[in-house]
Amino acid sequence: MSRSCLSVLFSLVACGGAVASPIADQVAFSHPQQMVDIGGRRLHLYCNGTGSPTVVFDAPSADAGWSWHAVQPAIARRTRACVYDRAGLGYSDPSPLPGTSGNAVADLHKLLQTAGIAPPYVLVGTSYGGGNVQLYTYRYPEQVRGLVLVEPEHEDEMARLDRASQGRWSQLTAAQAAIWPQCVAAAEKGFVPGSEAFLQCTGGIQPVYGRELAAARLAVETSPGYWHAAASEQAHFDVSRAELGAARRSYGDLPLVVLTRGVSPFAVPGKPQSELNKATERENMAMHKEVAALSSRGSQRVVPGAGHIIQQDRPEAVVRAITDVLDELRP
């Protein structure tokens, strides 16, 4: 099982027809921009544009700010837009703390404070990052003026998707989890380009990235530090979901858009969708609708032609959702 084709689990790269951003926009993501010391370690931050509120992006599990290379530049033409890398990922220093949503939220709060990026914020997160920005909103509600959740984490998704798939979901996640120690070991030994471990763990060269960004991504994602940080997030998924579940409550009248994939990552091209597959997709949709309903100004949208990593498959849909939230906040 290739990591690149199980993005619904670990959200590292997209399967399917990704839409590349202009190479000129990608180049800025291919090297560190601002390294911010949050207390003995540094987190990477890249902000562009001017205006308020600031749009802050959080990436999928084990991914970095470059996940937003096709979205952030478009939003920066409207207002200030910031991407960052969680501890140990992208260009950020590792953390001695476990990779939990709670620790990621604390890091992001400290990062924004230290960098002088004052609220209000519109937070945008996908998959695991979607869980993080929800938790941030619950912990610092006075700072957040809007949310865009792209295929977001839900605290009950493991149990609910496992029931919908009649146990297939847990089998799949267990099989994928078994690969992580192999990737950590391969990184510590040194990946051999083109080898089975290299392709399985990194996904190899992805056409969505230009030359500079593809090289930067592979340099990071073949390092032992990256794999330790990524494995820590994976090992603490249950803790992160419990943190979100404990915080769960209404968002009041917060402008909120939830984006849902239109293409199942488990569908086999050219073959009818199985009943178990349909049931899994219905459950995914139901959870997203429930999250959207937590705000009186919430909405849920299906993005046709997009898989789990919507910001790569259909970046224009994410840009539109963010723009709609910003429009709602106009005086």
Side-chain angles (χ1 to χ4, degrees), residues 240-279:
S240 296
R241 291 180 181 125
E243 290 173 327
L244 178 58
R248 180 67 78 194
R249 60 184 182 275
S250 169
Y251 289 115
D253 63 351
L254 187 76
L256 165 65
V257 177
V258 181
L259 298 181
T260 302
R261 63 185 181 244
V263 177
S264 170
F266 306 115
V268 179
K271 293 187 177 181
Q273 193 176 21
S274 71
E275 291 305 314
L276 284 182
N277 194 339
K278 291 177 183 178

Tab-separated table of all heavy atoms in Angstrom, residues 240-279:
chain	number	residue	atom	x	y	z
A	240	SER	N	-5.220	13.203	20.266
A	240	SER	CA	-5.663	14.427	19.596
A	240	SER	C	-7.172	14.442	19.401
A	240	SER	O	-7.830	15.469	19.624
A	240	SER	CB	-4.960	14.567	18.241
A	240	SER	OG	-3.558	14.710	18.414
A	241	ARG	N	-7.734	13.314	19.027
A	241	ARG	CA	-9.185	13.258	18.839
A	241	ARG	C	-9.908	13.411	20.178
A	241	ARG	O	-10.968	14.042	20.246
A	241	ARG	CB	-9.568	11.944	18.159
A	241	ARG	CG	-9.106	11.875	16.709
A	241	ARG	CD	-9.488	10.568	16.051
A	241	ARG	NE	-9.014	10.529	14.674
A	241	ARG	CZ	-8.242	9.570	14.170
A	241	ARG	NH1	-7.873	8.550	14.921
A	241	ARG	NH2	-7.839	9.624	12.911
A	242	ALA	N	-9.332	12.847	21.232
A	242	ALA	CA	-9.940	13.001	22.554
A	242	ALA	C	-9.906	14.460	23.000
A	242	ALA	O	-10.858	14.951	23.633
A	242	ALA	CB	-9.223	12.117	23.565
A	243	GLU	N	-8.839	15.158	22.676
A	243	GLU	CA	-8.748	16.581	23.020
A	243	GLU	C	-9.841	17.372	22.306
A	243	GLU	O	-10.488	18.239	22.910
A	243	GLU	CB	-7.370	17.130	22.646
A	243	GLU	CG	-6.239	16.605	23.506
A	243	GLU	CD	-4.874	17.025	23.008
A	243	GLU	OE1	-4.694	17.160	21.765
A	243	GLU	OE2	-3.961	17.199	23.828
A	244	LEU	N	-10.048	17.067	21.030
A	244	LEU	CA	-11.090	17.752	20.283
A	244	LEU	C	-12.471	17.402	20.824
A	244	LEU	O	-13.332	18.278	20.999
A	244	LEU	CB	-10.991	17.399	18.796
A	244	LEU	CG	-12.052	18.004	17.873
A	244	LEU	CD1	-12.047	19.529	17.957
A	244	LEU	CD2	-11.817	17.546	16.426
A	245	GLY	N	-12.690	16.131	21.120
A	245	GLY	CA	-13.985	15.711	21.642
A	245	GLY	C	-14.320	16.353	22.971
A	245	GLY	O	-15.465	16.743	23.216
A	246	ALA	N	-13.324	16.497	23.843
A	246	ALA	CA	-13.553	17.113	25.147
A	246	ALA	C	-13.903	18.590	25.020
A	246	ALA	O	-14.620	19.144	25.858
A	246	ALA	CB	-12.319	16.942	26.026
A	247	ALA	N	-13.399	19.221	23.963
A	247	ALA	CA	-13.651	20.651	23.767
A	247	ALA	C	-14.934	20.922	22.991
A	247	ALA	O	-15.421	22.052	22.978
A	247	ALA	CB	-12.476	21.286	23.019
A	248	ARG	N	-15.501	19.918	22.370
A	248	ARG	CA	-16.597	20.098	21.409
A	248	ARG	C	-17.798	20.834	22.005
A	248	ARG	O	-18.318	20.459	23.058
A	248	ARG	CB	-17.029	18.741	20.864
A	248	ARG	CG	-18.154	18.792	19.851
A	248	ARG	CD	-17.697	19.485	18.568
A	248	ARG	NE	-16.894	18.631	17.718
A	248	ARG	CZ	-16.177	19.099	16.695
A	248	ARG	NH1	-16.155	20.409	16.431
A	248	ARG	NH2	-15.461	18.273	15.956
A	249	ARG	N	-18.205	21.871	21.332
A	249	ARG	CA	-19.403	22.638	21.686
A	249	ARG	C	-19.810	23.467	20.476
A	249	ARG	O	-19.170	23.404	19.425
A	249	ARG	CB	-19.146	23.543	22.898
A	249	ARG	CG	-18.048	24.574	22.700
A	249	ARG	CD	-17.800	25.355	23.994
A	249	ARG	NE	-16.785	26.403	23.836
A	249	ARG	CZ	-15.476	26.211	23.938
A	249	ARG	NH1	-15.014	24.988	24.200
A	249	ARG	NH2	-14.628	27.222	23.802
A	250	SER	N	-20.843	24.263	20.620
A	250	SER	CA	-21.315	25.100	19.523
A	250	SER	C	-20.280	26.157	19.167
A	250	SER	O	-19.536	26.640	20.026
A	250	SER	CB	-22.625	25.780	19.926
A	250	SER	OG	-22.974	26.785	18.986
A	251	TYR	N	-20.260	26.528	17.874
A	251	TYR	CA	-19.442	27.654	17.429
A	251	TYR	C	-20.244	28.956	17.412
A	251	TYR	O	-19.740	29.985	16.951
A	251	TYR	CB	-18.896	27.395	16.017
A	251	TYR	CG	-17.839	26.328	15.956
A	251	TYR	CD1	-18.065	25.134	15.258
A	251	TYR	CD2	-16.604	26.500	16.569
A	251	TYR	CE1	-17.095	24.160	15.181
A	251	TYR	CE2	-15.628	25.518	16.504
A	251	TYR	CZ	-15.869	24.354	15.808
A	251	TYR	OH	-14.903	23.373	15.737
A	252	GLY	N	-21.453	28.915	17.907
A	252	GLY	CA	-22.273	30.123	17.930
A	252	GLY	C	-22.622	30.575	16.517
A	252	GLY	O	-23.145	29.792	15.717
A	253	ASP	N	-22.326	31.836	16.202
A	253	ASP	CA	-22.629	32.359	14.868
A	253	ASP	C	-21.363	32.586	14.055
A	253	ASP	O	-21.323	33.435	13.169
A	253	ASP	CB	-23.441	33.652	14.972
A	253	ASP	CG	-22.669	34.765	15.672
A	253	ASP	OD1	-21.574	34.504	16.221
A	253	ASP	OD2	-23.164	35.910	15.661
A	254	LEU	N	-20.312	31.824	14.343
A	254	LEU	CA	-19.041	31.953	13.637
A	254	LEU	C	-19.212	31.558	12.172
A	254	LEU	O	-19.713	30.468	11.876
A	254	LEU	CB	-17.994	31.051	14.285
A	254	LEU	CG	-16.555	31.178	13.797
A	254	LEU	CD1	-15.913	32.436	14.370
A	254	LEU	CD2	-15.742	29.939	14.195
A	255	PRO	N	-18.795	32.403	11.219
A	255	PRO	CA	-18.814	31.991	9.815
A	255	PRO	C	-17.959	30.734	9.618
A	255	PRO	O	-16.790	30.714	10.021
A	255	PRO	CB	-18.222	33.192	9.084
A	255	PRO	CG	-18.534	34.360	9.966
A	255	PRO	CD	-18.403	33.820	11.363
A	256	LEU	N	-18.534	29.707	9.033
A	256	LEU	CA	-17.892	28.397	8.959
A	256	LEU	C	-18.270	27.714	7.654
A	256	LEU	O	-19.455	27.627	7.315
A	256	LEU	CB	-18.335	27.534	10.150
A	256	LEU	CG	-18.077	26.022	10.111
A	256	LEU	CD1	-16.588	25.738	10.108
A	256	LEU	CD2	-18.741	25.345	11.313
A	257	VAL	N	-17.265	27.229	6.920
A	257	VAL	CA	-17.496	26.426	5.723
A	257	VAL	C	-16.738	25.118	5.870
A	257	VAL	O	-15.551	25.114	6.218
A	257	VAL	CB	-17.028	27.150	4.439
A	257	VAL	CG1	-17.211	26.234	3.220
A	257	VAL	CG2	-17.795	28.452	4.244
A	258	VAL	N	-17.421	24.006	5.642
A	258	VAL	CA	-16.805	22.676	5.657
A	258	VAL	C	-16.823	22.136	4.233
A	258	VAL	O	-17.882	22.092	3.593
A	258	VAL	CB	-17.568	21.717	6.593
A	258	VAL	CG1	-16.895	20.348	6.598
A	258	VAL	CG2	-17.650	22.282	8.007
A	259	LEU	N	-15.654	21.745	3.736
A	259	LEU	CA	-15.538	21.193	2.386
A	259	LEU	C	-15.349	19.684	2.456
A	259	LEU	O	-14.522	19.178	3.223
A	259	LEU	CB	-14.356	21.825	1.649
A	259	LEU	CG	-14.423	23.337	1.427
A	259	LEU	CD1	-13.194	23.813	0.658
A	259	LEU	CD2	-15.691	23.717	0.680
A	260	THR	N	-16.121	18.976	1.634
A	260	THR	CA	-16.123	17.508	1.603
A	260	THR	C	-15.732	17.019	0.225
A	260	THR	O	-16.171	17.568	-0.796
A	260	THR	CB	-17.521	16.976	1.959
A	260	THR	OG1	-17.901	17.470	3.250
A	260	THR	CG2	-17.546	15.451	1.976
A	261	ARG	N	-14.936	15.986	0.182
A	261	ARG	CA	-14.483	15.414	-1.090
A	261	ARG	C	-15.661	14.909	-1.909
A	261	ARG	O	-16.650	14.394	-1.375
A	261	ARG	CB	-13.503	14.273	-0.832
A	261	ARG	CG	-14.122	13.095	-0.074
A	261	ARG	CD	-13.058	12.055	0.267
A	261	ARG	NE	-13.608	10.901	0.975
A	261	ARG	CZ	-13.293	10.563	2.208
A	261	ARG	NH1	-12.455	11.313	2.908
A	261	ARG	NH2	-13.809	9.467	2.767
A	262	GLY	N	-15.523	15.029	-3.231
A	262	GLY	CA	-16.520	14.473	-4.124
A	262	GLY	C	-16.112	13.138	-4.699
A	262	GLY	O	-16.914	12.437	-5.324
A	263	VAL	N	-14.852	12.767	-4.509
A	263	VAL	CA	-14.314	11.513	-5.036
A	263	VAL	C	-13.779	10.675	-3.883
A	263	VAL	O	-12.917	11.131	-3.125
A	263	VAL	CB	-13.179	11.776	-6.053
A	263	VAL	CG1	-12.585	10.460	-6.542
A	263	VAL	CG2	-13.685	12.602	-7.225
A	264	SER	N	-14.268	9.476	-3.742
A	264	SER	CA	-13.786	8.597	-2.681
A	264	SER	C	-12.358	8.160	-2.965
A	264	SER	O	-12.034	7.739	-4.073
A	264	SER	CB	-14.666	7.353	-2.576
A	264	SER	OG	-14.060	6.408	-1.705
A	265	PRO	N	-11.459	8.238	-1.963
A	265	PRO	CA	-10.089	7.763	-2.172
A	265	PRO	C	-10.003	6.252	-2.299
A	265	PRO	O	-8.958	5.720	-2.660
A	265	PRO	CB	-9.358	8.259	-0.914
A	265	PRO	CG	-10.419	8.383	0.112
A	265	PRO	CD	-11.664	8.792	-0.617
A	266	PHE	N	-11.103	5.561	-2.029
A	266	PHE	CA	-11.114	4.104	-2.119
A	266	PHE	C	-11.846	3.593	-3.356
A	266	PHE	O	-11.956	2.386	-3.556
A	266	PHE	CB	-11.757	3.519	-0.861
A	266	PHE	CG	-11.113	3.997	0.403
A	266	PHE	CD1	-11.815	4.768	1.306
A	266	PHE	CD2	-9.799	3.689	0.678
A	266	PHE	CE1	-11.226	5.221	2.465
A	266	PHE	CE2	-9.192	4.134	1.837
A	266	PHE	CZ	-9.910	4.906	2.734
A	267	ALA	N	-12.370	4.503	-4.161
A	267	ALA	CA	-13.055	4.080	-5.381
A	267	ALA	C	-12.037	3.561	-6.396
A	267	ALA	O	-10.941	4.108	-6.534
A	267	ALA	CB	-13.840	5.243	-5.970
A	268	VAL	N	-12.399	2.517	-7.102
A	268	VAL	CA	-11.540	1.956	-8.156
A	268	VAL	C	-12.004	2.529	-9.491
A	268	VAL	O	-13.157	2.316	-9.885
A	268	VAL	CB	-11.615	0.420	-8.181
A	268	VAL	CG1	-10.738	-0.139	-9.298
A	268	VAL	CG2	-11.215	-0.157	-6.825
A	269	PRO	N	-11.145	3.294	-10.167
A	269	PRO	CA	-11.561	3.909	-11.441
A	269	PRO	C	-12.102	2.877	-12.427
A	269	PRO	O	-11.533	1.792	-12.604
A	269	PRO	CB	-10.262	4.536	-11.968
A	269	PRO	CG	-9.446	4.784	-10.738
A	269	PRO	CD	-9.758	3.646	-9.816
A	270	GLY	N	-13.227	3.209	-13.013
A	270	GLY	CA	-13.819	2.332	-14.019
A	270	GLY	C	-14.671	1.210	-13.468
A	270	GLY	O	-15.234	0.428	-14.244
A	271	LYS	N	-14.786	1.137	-12.140
A	271	LYS	CA	-15.591	0.083	-11.535
A	271	LYS	C	-16.668	0.699	-10.657
A	271	LYS	O	-16.475	1.776	-10.098
A	271	LYS	CB	-14.719	-0.868	-10.711
A	271	LYS	CG	-13.750	-1.692	-11.542
A	271	LYS	CD	-13.056	-2.735	-10.681
A	271	LYS	CE	-12.133	-3.607	-11.525
A	271	LYS	NZ	-11.469	-4.653	-10.699
A	272	PRO	N	-17.810	0.022	-10.526
A	272	PRO	CA	-18.883	0.553	-9.665
A	272	PRO	C	-18.413	0.678	-8.221
A	272	PRO	O	-17.635	-0.141	-7.734
A	272	PRO	CB	-19.999	-0.497	-9.806
A	272	PRO	CG	-19.680	-1.247	-11.049
A	272	PRO	CD	-18.186	-1.247	-11.169
A	273	GLN	N	-18.908	1.689	-7.542
A	273	GLN	CA	-18.577	1.888	-6.146
A	273	GLN	C	-19.281	0.832	-5.298
A	273	GLN	O	-20.476	0.610	-5.438
A	273	GLN	CB	-18.991	3.289	-5.711
A	273	GLN	CG	-18.439	3.733	-4.371
A	273	GLN	CD	-18.823	5.162	-4.051
A	273	GLN	OE1	-19.783	5.687	-4.602
A	273	GLN	NE2	-18.079	5.799	-3.149
A	274	SER	N	-18.539	0.191	-4.399
A	274	SER	CA	-19.124	-0.851	-3.573
A	274	SER	C	-20.071	-0.238	-2.544
A	274	SER	O	-19.990	0.950	-2.220
A	274	SER	CB	-18.029	-1.641	-2.858
A	274	SER	OG	-17.436	-0.849	-1.845
A	275	GLU	N	-20.937	-1.077	-1.991
A	275	GLU	CA	-21.865	-0.599	-0.972
A	275	GLU	C	-21.123	-0.159	0.290
A	275	GLU	O	-21.510	0.815	0.938
A	275	GLU	CB	-22.887	-1.694	-0.640
A	275	GLU	CG	-23.866	-1.982	-1.773
A	275	GLU	CD	-24.597	-0.730	-2.241
A	275	GLU	OE1	-25.077	0.043	-1.382
A	275	GLU	OE2	-24.685	-0.518	-3.465
A	276	LEU	N	-20.054	-0.875	0.643
A	276	LEU	CA	-19.272	-0.463	1.807
A	276	LEU	C	-18.598	0.887	1.557
A	276	LEU	O	-18.517	1.730	2.456
A	276	LEU	CB	-18.212	-1.518	2.133
A	276	LEU	CG	-18.699	-2.791	2.817
A	276	LEU	CD1	-17.512	-3.708	3.123
A	276	LEU	CD2	-19.455	-2.477	4.101
A	277	ASN	N	-18.129	1.079	0.340
A	277	ASN	CA	-17.523	2.361	-0.017
A	277	ASN	C	-18.551	3.477	0.083
A	277	ASN	O	-18.290	4.542	0.655
A	277	ASN	CB	-16.961	2.269	-1.441
A	277	ASN	CG	-16.026	3.420	-1.765
A	277	ASN	OD1	-16.067	4.469	-1.138
A	277	ASN	ND2	-15.191	3.227	-2.759
A	278	LYS	N	-19.739	3.235	-0.439
A	278	LYS	CA	-20.805	4.235	-0.368
A	278	LYS	C	-21.155	4.552	1.080
A	278	LYS	O	-21.360	5.723	1.442
A	278	LYS	CB	-22.048	3.731	-1.113
A	278	LYS	CG	-21.899	3.634	-2.618
A	278	LYS	CD	-23.170	3.063	-3.244
A	278	LYS	CE	-23.027	2.883	-4.741
A	278	LYS	NZ	-24.244	2.290	-5.347
A	279	ALA	N	-21.216	3.523	1.915
A	279	ALA	CA	-21.556	3.736	3.317
A	279	ALA	C	-20.486	4.566	4.022
A	279	ALA	O	-20.793	5.441	4.847
A	279	ALA	CB	-21.729	2.388	4.023
